[in-house]
Amino acid sequence: MPQYKQFPLPDTAEGLTEAEILTWHVAPGDAVKVNDIIVEIETAKAAVELPCPWDGVVTELLAEVGRTVEVGTPIITIDVDPAGTSSTNGTAPAADQGEGRVANLVGYGPKSGPAKRRTRRDAPAPAPVAAGPAPAPAAPAVTVTAPVVTAPVATVPLAKPPVRKLAKDLGVDLRALAGSGPGGVITREDVEQALTAPAAAPVSAAPVPGARERRVPIKGVRKATAQAMVDSAFTAPHVTEFLTVDVTPMMELRARLKNTPEFRDVKLTPLAFAAKAVVLAARRTPDVNATWDAAAGEIVYKEYVHLGIAAATPRGLVVPKVRDADRMSLRELAIALDELATTARDGKTTPADMLNGTITITNVGVFGVDTGTPIINPGESAILALGAIRDMPWVVDGQVVPRKVCQLALSFDHRVVDGQQGSQYLADVGALLADPAVAMTY
């Protein structure tokens, strides 16, 4: 007989409680194998693709695109014995010996026992089960030997991920469209035409309040970033200092290096020089690379630098890390930064890549901005804003000449970093950018 299992939404990173369903890669009736990607979700940290934990046939999607689902909630039903070859009794997956949890491909499901979750006002009521025993609360998987009948879920519109993103950005409901592509697939043209299609005549000519407004739910990366910034701004006493630097020697060195065999195929940006300066200067002022641990009543000094790079993406601000940046050469840093930026732009930064940073750079210069007052990334003690590099008049040996000039802004946690230490660190970073040869003295 058929053997049905329900796959619960797993915790893809420490402490996550919910995620939004972005895109289903399967539909009822599709055959799946272990490790096939079945769904893309957006957590508070990043977009994540979830693999299938079993071989079988999809029988039902339990959460529609756009719905926010709590960790541990079943999202898909799979018949793992469509040919009916296994025993009619069925067996549940083996539990992890350590904590009584079931291991799966993307971590562990919730612990067994009563679920302790906050009540969601917008969560739909549990669907009744017409046949077979009801699954235990928060169980990582349910195995039954009779068909499970649940409340119907809205049909998932057929559309490729770029089309789904376009519709989301434009506020178009894909469920209201008829696809013109092969097999009824919704195309980009279908979405664009939905915006220009004449609307039904209104009953009244009176203006509709809010008709020129667009409301977007606060969730995913945006929600997590907002909470983190509020927590940081109102927990760590911020101090921000500024420094204007003549970076002409750095730009001249960059031009020379780009013509050498070692750097010919490397994207060598000013950010790479700033990253090198940040990690070198941290050797002389280790306080900027430390963490305030209020719970333990300790300041934790890190013997490594996991360098965070603030990146603006279509999903919002993310801060992936370059691990052990202090051990990298300038060339290695340049390559790592390029790979990090590409991954972030493609929305492929994983939650693990954004954990455990020690100090951060935000490159506002790429937007033509001179400087700002950056907010410290939670769990860290300092963040450097790198401004735009401009041609400016500068006094050299008593003469005003055009130079390449950049502004730096350093925000630091005054619980960990005193004014003297913060000032010395910013001065060291500036000196390394103004004269890269200074690095020989570090």
Side-chain angles (χ1 to χ4, degrees):
M1 294 182 64
Q3 187 177 5
Y4 297 93
K5 288 187 178 182
Q6 291 182 332
F7 178 45
L9 180 70
D11 182 356
T12 58
E14 295 181 11
L16 293 181
T17 60
E18 61 185 19
E20 178 188 350
I21 303 296
L22 285 184
T23 305
W24 281 107
H25 292 273
V26 295
D30 288 352
V32 291
K33 293 185 177 297
V34 171
N35 286 340
D36 283 353
I37 299 301
I38 56 175
V39 65
E40 183 179 12
I41 62 172
E42 183 176 34
T43 71
K45 296 181 179 294
V48 179
E49 292 180 333
L50 298 183
C52 184
W54 312 296
D55 291 345
V57 174
V58 176
T59 61
E60 190 174 16
L61 306 181
L62 303 177
E64 66 271 21
V65 170
R67 178 180 164 190
T68 298
V69 181
E70 292 189 353
V71 168
T73 302
I75 58 174
I76 188 173
T77 302
I78 296 176
D79 180 0
V80 297
D81 188 27
T85 57
S86 56
S87 169
T88 58
N89 292 327
T91 56
D96 175 63
Q97 297 294 326
E99 300 187 32
R101 294 179 292 171
V102 175
N104 56 51
L105 296 177
V106 285
Y108 287 91
K111 294 181 181 179
S112 58
K116 296 181 180 179
R117 303 192 189 98
R118 58 181 176 83
T119 301
R120 290 182 53 86
R121 294 181 180 179
D122 59 343
V129 179
V142 177
T143 304
V144 296
T145 57
V148 178
V149 180
T150 61
V153 176
T155 302
V156 180
L158 297 175
K160 295 182 178 180
V163 177
R164 293 186 183 280
K165 181 181 182 305
L166 175 65
K168 183 177 181 180
D169 292 343
L170 297 178
V172 175
D173 186 355
L174 289 177
R175 291 170 294 186
L177 302 184
S180 63
V185 173
I186 298 172
T187 66
R188 174 180 290 271
E189 290 72 20
D190 295 333
V191 175
E192 293 171 345
Q193 288 176 7
L195 288 178
T196 59
V203 176
S204 171
V208 179
R212 290 184 294 174
E213 299 176 350
R214 183 168 64 95
R215 292 178 175 266
V216 178
I218 302 172
K219 54 188 178 180
V221 175
R222 174 62 59 193
K223 181 178 180 180
T225 300
Q227 187 60 53
M229 293 298 98
V230 169
D231 291 345
S232 177
F234 291 97
T235 300
H238 282 55
V239 174
T240 304
E241 295 187 339
F242 306 91
L243 180 66
T244 303
V245 182
D246 173 10
V247 295
T248 305
M250 179 196 81
M251 298 301 286
E252 292 173 346
L253 174 61
R254 173 176 176 251
R256 292 197 303 271
L257 289 176
K258 289 174 67 175
N259 291 323
T260 64
E262 186 179 8
F263 286 88
R264 191 163 295 154
D265 298 325
V266 176
K267 187 175 181 180
L268 185 59
T269 64
L271 178 60
F273 286 88
K276 189 64 176 177
V278 161
V279 298
L280 283 176
R283 295 179 182 176
R284 291 176 25 130
T285 311
D287 305 80
V288 299
N289 198 52
T291 298
W292 179 273
D293 188 340
E298 299 173 337
I299 297 176
V300 183
Y301 291 89
K302 310 296 178 64
E303 301 297 329
Y304 54 88
V305 178
H306 290 344
L307 180 63
I309 304 295
T313 75
R315 302 187 189 280
L317 178 69
V318 297
V319 188
K321 320 299 179 189
V322 178
R323 305 289 175 186
D324 295 311
D326 54 315
R327 298 182 180 181
M328 293 184 176
S329 66
L330 179 62
R331 183 179 187 277
E332 290 170 335
L333 270 174
I335 294 172
L337 291 171
D338 186 38
E339 293 175 348
L340 177 148
T342 300
T343 302
R345 281 195 303 268
D346 293 342
K348 300 299 183 182
T349 303
T350 66
D353 290 336
M354 291 184 280
L355 298 174
N356 304 321
T358 61
I359 190 170
T360 294
I361 298 176
T362 176
N363 185 11
V364 298
V366 295
F367 305 108
V369 174
D370 292 321
T371 191
T373 55
I375 297 178
I376 302 166
N377 207 38
E380 301 175 12
S381 294
I383 180 172
L384 180 79
L386 178 66
I389 297 175
R390 302 186 185 280
D391 291 327
M392 300 284 288
W394 199 261
V395 178
V396 178
D397 298 329
Q399 301 293 321
V400 177
V401 296
R403 303 288 283 182
K404 301 289 185 182
V405 176
C406 174
Q407 292 191 44
L408 307 176
L410 178 73
S411 291
F412 53 88
D413 185 344
H414 217 329
R415 298 173 301 178
V416 180
V417 183
D418 293 335
Q420 180 271 332
Q421 296 163 334
S423 300
Q424 182 61 56
Y425 179 75
L426 182 58
D428 285 345
V429 172
L432 288 164
L433 297 180
D435 184 4
V438 173
M440 297 293 292
T441 66
Y442 279 64

